[in-house]
Amino acid sequence: MDRFIGIVCRVLEFAIALLLAAMVVLVFGNVVARYGFNSGITLSEELSRWMFIWLTFLGAVIALKERGHLGMDMIVAKLPTAGKKLCLVLGQILMLYIVGLMFKGSWEQAVINADVSAPVSGLPMAIVYASGLVFSVMAGLIIAMDLYRVLTGKLDERDLIMVQESEEAVQLKQILEDAGNGAPGRSA
């Protein structure tokens, strides 16, 4: 299952790159058309907005898999292993519940808006809400796998805290660990 999610995340990264490139072309093309030729690409704004929504949700899936979301870990980091596990299990159960709510809401909105056409493109508005469906399914799989790892003891103790205080704190911690491991007179 890890391999499957890894492959899917690589596909999502490629899709994000394509969406970003298409957004740049649409927006830049629209700017050139407006200022250079006194016209515009009518689809540009609508499709760019939709692409940004999809980009955000797909990026959130990748960040969840890579444990890149920011969070507060001051208190949890001080707990013993059993406390860290308990907090992680409770957090993951809560996240599964929220992802379930998001799936339910996205599904209901997609069904409601399946017959509603976008003002410019005429495409069904359900496409926008499908991004929430894709996110909730993928996030649910990732969270469920992590929950399984915790409950079966397959998660290492250093992985019990699945958030980052800040990017700078992570970098500083890595620098300090590297300095401590390579310092003369210390055993590794």
Side-chain angles (χ1 to χ4, degrees), residues 155-181:
L155 199 62
D156 199 13
E157 185 177 351
R158 69 174 185 269
D159 294 328
L160 290 176
I161 299 175
M162 293 190 167
V163 297
Q164 299 178 31
E165 187 81 27
S166 70
E167 291 179 21
E168 293 83 10
V170 172
Q171 290 172 349
L172 179 62
K173 182 178 178 183
Q174 185 63 41
I175 290 169
L176 292 173
E177 285 177 2
D178 291 345
N181 290 337

Side-chain angles (χ1 to χ4, degrees), residues 61-93:
V61 169
I62 293 169
L64 182 64
K65 182 199 174 285
E66 295 176 354
R67 295 178 175 90
H69 289 286
L70 298 177
M72 296 290 291
D73 65 349
M74 282 187 294
I75 297 171
V76 177
K78 306 267 188 240
L79 295 175
T81 304
K84 290 177 186 174
K85 283 183 181 181
L86 178 66
C87 288
L88 184 57
V89 167
L90 291 175
Q92 288 174 324
I93 290 171

Side-chain angles (χ1 to χ4, degrees), residues 29 31-40:
V31 168
V32 169
R34 283 184 192 229
Y35 290 106
F37 304 104
N38 203 23
S39 69

Side-chain angles (χ1 to χ4, degrees), residues 10-182:
R10 280 193 290 278
V11 170
L12 293 181
E13 288 171 355
F14 182 72
I16 288 171
L18 286 178
L19 288 171
L20 190 57
M23 281 175 58
V24 168
V25 168
L26 281 171
V27 172
F28 183 72
N30 196 32
V31 168
V32 169
R34 283 184 192 229
Y35 290 106
F37 304 104
N38 203 23
S39 69
I41 305 169
T42 54
L43 282 173
S44 175
E45 188 177 333
E46 185 174 281
L47 289 181
S48 295
R49 190 174 340 129
W50 287 14
M51 288 178 192
F52 185 70
I53 292 168
W54 272 90
L55 224 153
T56 303
F57 279 104
L58 296 179
V61 169
I62 293 169
L64 182 64
K65 182 199 174 285
E66 295 176 354
R67 295 178 175 90
H69 289 286
L70 298 177
M72 296 290 291
D73 65 349
M74 282 187 294
I75 297 171
V76 177
K78 306 267 188 240
L79 295 175
T81 304
K84 290 177 186 174
K85 283 183 181 181
L86 178 66
C87 288
L88 184 57
V89 167
L90 291 175
Q92 288 174 324
I93 290 171
L94 183 61
M95 286 190 294
L96 281 173
Y97 175 70
I98 291 168
V99 165
L101 290 176
M102 185 161 189
F103 180 85
K104 182 180 181 282
S106 295
W107 177 262
E108 290 171 356
Q109 286 298 316
V111 169
I112 290 169
N113 289 291
D115 297 334
V116 177
S117 298
V120 178
S121 66
L123 294 170
M125 289 297 294
I127 293 171
V128 174
Y129 299 103
S131 62
L133 291 172
V134 170
F135 168 78
S136 57
V137 167
M138 290 302 301
L141 281 173
I142 292 168
I143 295 166
M145 281 185 46
D146 285 340
L147 181 60
Y148 171 77
R149 281 191 199 105
V150 173
L151 294 176
T152 58
K154 294 181 180 180
L155 199 62
D156 199 13
E157 185 177 351
R158 69 174 185 269
D159 294 328
L160 290 176
I161 299 175
M162 293 190 167
V163 297
Q164 299 178 31
E165 187 81 27
S166 70
E167 291 179 21
E168 293 83 10
V170 172
Q171 290 172 349
L172 179 62
K173 182 178 178 183
Q174 185 63 41
I175 290 169
L176 292 173
E177 285 177 2
D178 291 345
N181 290 337

